[in-house]
Amino acid sequence: MGKQKTGDGDTKQSSRGGKFLLCDISWLSPRWQSWLVRMQSGFILISSFYLIVQMGVLGLLLLTYTVQISSFHEATETAISITKSSDLRQWSWQLLFLANLYWLDPVLEQFVPPEIVRWKEVVCYGGYLVLLVWFLRGISDVDNCLTRYGHFAWTHILIIFLTFQASLLLRTLQHGMMWYIFSVSIITINDIAAYMCGFFFGRTPLIVLSPKKTLEGYLGGGVFTVAIGPVFGLLLSRYEHLACPTAGFTVLSCTLEPFNLARGQIPPFLWHSLYISIFASTFGPTAGFLCSGFKRACKRKNFGNLIPGHGGVLDRCDCMFLMASFAYIYTANIAHPHS
């Protein structure tokens, strides 16, 4: 799963712009051209996510690993452009592989030889020691230590921010796909609402790390998110294939919680979705601020340019990784503490 800008829009057509597919919009101001391209990309992304959800658990697994790997690629290349440590590129990818093996999703473990699963921790630890020696042996000039250690630290941060949090999100699938879907969707709703409020009403700068974000966008997006979240959560909880627990790639049969507003019968997930929405509207955007600060330090506007109007995959999905860890913490300790 990212961020929309919450400011009043670009003042000129940037490299993040792209071609609008429906008609020629060159007669519009660059600000409105950027707005339309972003909306177009947003519609394509939402439609694609809907199709992925139809694939069930397998689709969400593939999506998670695709987003994680793409984000890692973009962030690593950004770091290399600053540290000039291109010889550590393969080292970084080896560390990512070990991290994914260590936090391998239980659904995928059934396709891995039992011996590897049994000795997974030993294999990963041994592999990490090899990578540590590899890194140290690669230092031939002490004058370059700072940049190489910067790359070393950045890769470890990426592993925690991307791989670890993505693995936590996948563990919520056992309670039903709606936990995954709601968590990544509500932060996207917050991003879109904040962008719209900032685009039309934004005046007050919010944070120096991201100058185009505005207080009006942050507050407006937050109010809309908290208002629409329970409604969206209720809608998801009405579909058995989304609400019922999963085992492997299979959705188990279950009885949906009754809903009758007149009788006061309200599904628990409605309340859960309200609390998750509050988190998404308050702390959710901080992941975007964190990534914006890193890009600013690297003098980069975006991590990539794959998605017109948004930037790269990590530009679009940065906030989703923070939502991933919160979704797991919430389900494991509040919604399903004894499962």
Side-chain angles (χ1 to χ4, degrees), residues 78-99:
T78 299
I80 290 176
S81 69
I82 300 300
T83 63
K84 309 302 180 184
S85 53
S86 58
D87 58 307
L88 289 176
R89 181 181 285 110
Q90 186 178 357
W91 178 90
S92 299
W93 283 100
Q94 293 290 343
L95 186 60
L96 178 69
F97 172 79
L98 283 181

Side-chain angles (χ1 to χ4, degrees), residues 119-133:
W119 296 97
K120 181 178 64 175
E121 291 186 352
V122 176
V123 171
C124 291
Y125 186 69
Y128 185 76
L129 292 178
V130 172
L131 289 177
L132 187 60
V133 173

Side-chain angles (χ1 to χ4, degrees), residues 18-86:
K19 183 178 180 181
F20 191 65
L21 300 178
L22 298 180
C23 61
D24 178 23
I25 58 173
S26 59
W27 57 276
L28 292 173
S29 68
R31 182 171 183 262
W32 282 100
Q33 289 182 36
S34 175
W35 187 87
L36 286 173
V37 171
R38 291 185 188 188
M39 292 301 105
Q40 171 186 261
S41 296
F43 176 78
I44 294 174
L45 290 172
I46 292 172
S47 302
S48 300
F49 182 63
Y50 174 80
L51 295 176
I52 291 172
V53 169
Q54 302 309 306
M55 296 172 60
V57 174
L58 176 61
L60 296 181
L61 275 170
L62 293 175
L63 174 64
T64 303
Y65 282 104
T66 299
V67 170
Q68 179 210 158
I69 293 172
S70 299
S71 298
F72 185 84
H73 166 71
E74 293 174 348
T76 298
E77 292 304 311
T78 299
I80 290 176
S81 69
I82 300 300
T83 63
K84 309 302 180 184
S85 53
S86 58

Side-chain angles (χ1 to χ4, degrees), residues 179-320:
W179 291 97
Y180 181 117
I181 296 169
F182 183 82
S183 297
V184 300
S185 297
I186 198 63
I187 191 63
T188 303
I189 291 173
N190 177 258
D191 289 339
I192 295 173
Y195 168 65
M196 297 297 285
C197 291
F199 186 89
F200 291 105
F201 309 111
R203 295 293 181 273
T204 310
L206 178 63
I207 184 170
V208 67
L209 293 176
S210 191
K212 291 179 182 178
K213 291 185 180 295
T214 64
L215 180 63
E216 292 81 2
Y218 177 80
L219 295 177
V223 171
F224 183 83
T225 300
V226 173
I228 202 67
V231 179
F232 180 52
L234 178 63
L235 177 64
L236 293 178
S237 68
R238 296 298 85 200
Y239 292 91
E240 185 174 325
H241 70 287
L242 301 180
C244 292
T246 65
F249 295 116
T250 305
V251 177
L252 305 177
S253 178
C254 71
T255 302
L256 297 180
E257 295 285 347
F259 173 64
N260 190 318
L261 194 59
R263 296 181 179 180
Q265 295 178 320
I266 300 178
F269 190 72
L270 186 147
W271 298 110
H272 294 319
S273 60
L274 172 62
Y275 305 142
I276 296 174
S277 298
I278 293 174
F279 178 87
S281 62
T282 52
F283 293 100
T286 58
F289 302 155
L290 180 67
C291 290
S292 293
F294 180 78
K295 289 183 292 185
R296 187 162 295 277
C298 295
K299 303 187 185 316
R300 294 279 292 269
K301 186 173 185 180
N302 303 299
F303 284 108
N305 56 9
L306 179 65
I307 308 173
H310 295 269
V313 175
L314 184 54
D315 295 295
R316 188 67 192 88
C317 302
D318 48 11
C319 296
M320 294 183 187

